Amino acid sequence: MTARRTSFLTAAAAALLIAAPPSTAANADGTADAALTETIAALDTKLFDAYNACDLATFRTLFVPDVEFFHDQGGATFDRETVIANTQKNICGKVRRELIPGTLKIYPVKGYGAIEEGDHRFCSLATGECEGAAKFLMIWQQNADGWRLTRIVSYAHRALTEAEKAALAKKKS
């Protein structure tokens, strides 16, 4: 390809990018349009209501068979049945998940679905005390069968600070 043609193609591509209208589906801060935000927030609630109740039948329906789950402390898994088994072994009857208010962000993925990100905390069922928190990123795919999770990343796990514990205790009283 000649330098002149390469220069023209580069200029044409740049002009298309400049002329393209900005996407209105999501802002850079993760505030997607109301309908998508409502849908993904409801899916998050359904997923973690099932997780917290150990309703593994419902929980299973929200994952594609080859879901990828990356956990900074637990490693990686690459199928739904392992995710279900690990949840049953490590979560059921032991832990409750709570979404930290104000942290949920939704980003549309054109022609695919959405990215959900946020922070959540985990509370011991034995003591009722919330002890840890983490960040999460989940990728939802929408198709004719509905919405399913294809990838999950759970990371930056940490113990709650004394100030966070005190704030939660204050809310309870």
Side-chain angles (χ1 to χ4, degrees), residues 47 59-69 77-84 112 139-143 145-152:
L47 176 72
F59 194 66
R60 175 180 276 107
T61 67
L62 295 167
F63 300 95
V64 296
D66 59 346
V67 63
E68 296 178 358
F69 188 109
T77 59
F78 301 98
D79 66 278
R80 176 175 53 205
E81 296 314 310
T82 302
V83 170
I84 302 303
Y112 189 82
I139 301 176
W140 293 90
Q141 179 182 36
Q142 182 184 30
N143 60 31
D145 295 329
W147 289 88
R148 301 288 178 271
L149 281 165
T150 60
R151 286 169 189 72
I152 303 162

Side-chain angles (χ1 to χ4, degrees), residues 4 8 41 54 61 70 88 104 110 116 118 122 143 150 155 163 168-169:
R4 185 175 189 182
F8 171 77
C54 201
T61 67
F70 301 91
Q88 185 170 26
L104 188 65
K110 185 178 178 180
E116 173 188 5
F122 300 92
N143 60 31
T150 60
Y155 62 101
L168 285 173

Side-chain angles (χ1 to χ4, degrees), residues 6-157:
T6 301
S7 177
F8 171 77
L9 291 174
T10 302
L16 285 173
L17 288 174
I18 291 168
S23 171
T24 58
N27 296 317
D29 65 357
T31 53
D33 67 60
L36 182 61
T37 297
E38 184 178 321
T39 296
I40 300 301
L43 287 165
D44 183 90
T45 297
K46 182 177 181 178
L47 176 72
F48 286 102
D49 281 353
Y51 174 98
N52 289 337
C54 201
D55 176 359
L56 299 179
T58 299
F59 194 66
R60 175 180 276 107
T61 67
L62 295 167
F63 300 95
V64 296
D66 59 346
V67 63
E68 296 178 358
F69 188 109
F70 301 91
H71 191 285
D72 62 351
Q73 295 178 353
T77 59
F78 301 98
D79 66 278
R80 176 175 53 205
E81 296 314 310
T82 302
V83 170
I84 302 303
N86 287 343
T87 301
Q88 185 170 26
K89 177 183 172 187
N90 300 312
I91 302 302
C92 288
K94 299 173 186 167
V95 176
R96 179 183 78 250
R97 180 263 196 178
E98 296 178 353
L99 177 65
I100 296 176
T103 66
L104 188 65
K105 295 180 182 179
I106 310 298
Y107 303 88
V109 177
K110 185 178 178 180
Y112 189 82
I115 297 169
E116 173 188 5
E117 79 171 323
D119 296 345
H120 48 199
R121 64 181 151 250
F122 300 92
C123 309
S124 167
L125 293 180
T127 66
E129 298 298 317
C130 297
E131 299 167 355
K135 295 182 175 301
F136 68 91
L137 178 84
M138 298 191 288
I139 301 176
W140 293 90
Q141 179 182 36
Q142 182 184 30
N143 60 31
D145 295 329
W147 289 88
R148 301 288 178 271
L149 281 165
T150 60
R151 286 169 189 72
I152 303 162
V153 182
S154 186
Y155 62 101
H157 286 82

